[in-house]
């Protein structure tokens, strides 16, 4: 490790923080104190950590970093309570996170990559291409800075549904989950954190084996391999069948329900035969379905199949949901929230990165 480079301690799990303190000849218990300042008191200035000695504070100021992102802009939706944060990293990359309130909860949606390599045809982030993985500290800092603005106790849920594919940034995503779910980190519990993936079967299994027991969502969008491949090119590499096997494994191992996300595209996945296969699928895997209206991505000037996709009209979505419910499928219909500030699902994309 480059000895001049400061260590971003917002990205250290408690175990790593303990190792760090031992490596600078300090007592292990300092790790808990600092973890507590950062993650519970949202104190990001060493000099305000009053239970550390003056000498230790000088030492830490020389060796640790506590500013991984800078909050550069906040946008409030006029029509809903949605709030969008624009952050800038130390190398000038821009990242977005969104708070989506509803009657029962306030959900923070965070990003794991700058851009995304998956190229899903309906997603604005995909259209902007892939720049790099976020560090663990940058993933955690989205939450810490949003919590500082919004109130830690007011953020009840975290979803990994912002920019990027979390399972392609596996180690940093896993470490961020370890930090959020650590017993010393107050407020958030495991069942209030959901990771959404386009489907990397091996990593789904590894996440199941990690023992973290967060909730898993799979971006399903079609039960037919050929249609899914058309809108999600990753399906060529990892088939739906492989992903469904991995989901089954995840559900069994963690004793949780899988959420299947289902964005509705006119005449593509809103037909009678789609209902029939969805019913069969949810009978096989303990799960529920989250139906999402397609948020348009015209602000990205899409071409090809991206330009051909159009949203299923709302009345048809209601009928679709109703029919699934009649057949005993648990379905949630997600609102389109924050589209006036392009903060809705799949609309996150920052130009000039
Ligand atoms: N890469 C992860 C997480 C990011 S996307 C994944 O694929 O799951 C979060 C959810 O929004 C996914 O289900 C995604 O398919 C969906 N989504 C993407 N673009 C959308 C759009 N334009 N309208 C509605 N949902 C969209």
């Amino acid at each position: 490790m480059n000895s001049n480079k400061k260590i971003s301690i917002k990205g250290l799990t408690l175990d790593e923080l303990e190792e760090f303190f031992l490596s600078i000849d300090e007592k292990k218990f300092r790790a808990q104190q600092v973890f507590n300042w950062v993650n519970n008191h949202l104190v990001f200035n060493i000099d305000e950590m009053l239970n550390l000695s003056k000498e230790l504070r000088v030492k830490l100021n020389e060796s640790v970093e506590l500013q991984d992102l800078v909050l550069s802009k906040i946008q409030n939706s006029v029509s809903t309570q949605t709030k969008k944060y624009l952050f800038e990293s130390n190398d000038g990359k821009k990242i977005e996170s969104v708070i989506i309130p509803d009657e029962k909860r306030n959900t923070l949606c965070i990003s794991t990559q700058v851009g995304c390599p998956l190229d899903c045809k309906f997603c604005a982030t995909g259209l902007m291409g892939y720049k790099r993985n976020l560090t663990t500290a940058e993933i955690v800092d989205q939450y810490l800075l949003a919590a500082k603005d919004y109130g830690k106790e007011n953020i009840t849920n975290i979803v990994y549904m912002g920019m990027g594919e979390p399972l392609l940034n596996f180690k940093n995503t896993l470490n961020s989950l370890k930090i959020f779910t650590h017993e010393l980190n107050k407020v958030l519990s495991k069942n209030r954190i959901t990771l959404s993936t386009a489907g990397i079967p091996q990593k789904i299994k590894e996440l199941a084996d990690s023992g973290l027991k967060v909730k898993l969502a799979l971006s399903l969008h079609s039960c037919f391999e050929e249609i899914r491949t058309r809108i999600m090119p990753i399906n060529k590499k990892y088939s739906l069948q492989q992903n469904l096997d991995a989901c089954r494994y995840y559900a069994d191992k963690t004793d949780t329900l899988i959420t299947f996300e289902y964005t509705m595209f006119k005449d593509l996945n809103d037909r009678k035969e789609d209902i029939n296969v969805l019913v069969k699928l949810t009978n096989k895997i303990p799960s529920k379905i989250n139906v999402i209206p397609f948020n348009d991505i015209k602000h990205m000037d899409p071409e090809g199949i991206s330009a051909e996709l159009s949203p299923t009209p709302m009345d048809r979505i209601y009928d679709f949901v109703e029919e699934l419910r009649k057949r005993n499928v648990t379905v949630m219909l997600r609102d389109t929230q924050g589209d006036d500030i392009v903060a809705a699902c799949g609309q996150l994309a920052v130009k000039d990165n």
Side-chain angles (χ1 to χ4, degrees), residues 313-330:
M314 277 320 284
D315 54 345
R316 198 143 132 200
I317 293 185
Y318 293 134
D319 291 346
F320 192 89
V321 167
E322 201 43 49
E323 185 58 32
L324 283 169
R325 286 191 178 141
K326 262 192 221 149
R327 295 171 67 178
N328 293 324
V329 178
T330 309

Side-chain angles (χ1 to χ4, degrees), residues 122-123 160-162 164-166 196-198 219 221 261 263 292-295 297 345-346:
F122 45 83
C123 178
Y160 285 65
M161 294 187 189
E165 169 48 51
S196 173
T197 179
S219 295
H221 306 322
E261 291 159 290
T263 298
I292 315 170
F294 173 42
N295 299 304
I297 49 169
C345 268

Side-chain angles (χ1 to χ4, degrees), residues 53-69:
S53 68
K54 180 97 200 301
E55 297 76 49
L56 178 55
R57 281 186 263 146
V58 171
K59 201 164 160 185
L60 289 178
N61 271 322
E62 284 164 6
S63 56
V64 307
E65 178 66 75
L66 274 158
Q67 182 183 296
D68 296 277
L69 296 178

Side-chain angles (χ1 to χ4, degrees), residues 198-234:
I200 316 289
Q202 189 50 40
K203 297 296 173 194
I204 290 177
K205 289 187 181 156
E206 279 181 46
L207 187 65
D209 294 338
S210 73
L212 284 171
K213 291 194 177 198
V214 293
K215 290 207 236 164
L216 181 73
L218 179 79
S219 295
L220 177 66
H221 306 322
S222 175
C223 298
F224 296 99
E225 299 275 2
E226 184 270 324
I227 294 179
R228 194 167 186 268
T229 301
R230 234 189 290 162
I231 53 175
M232 300 176 71
I234 185 71

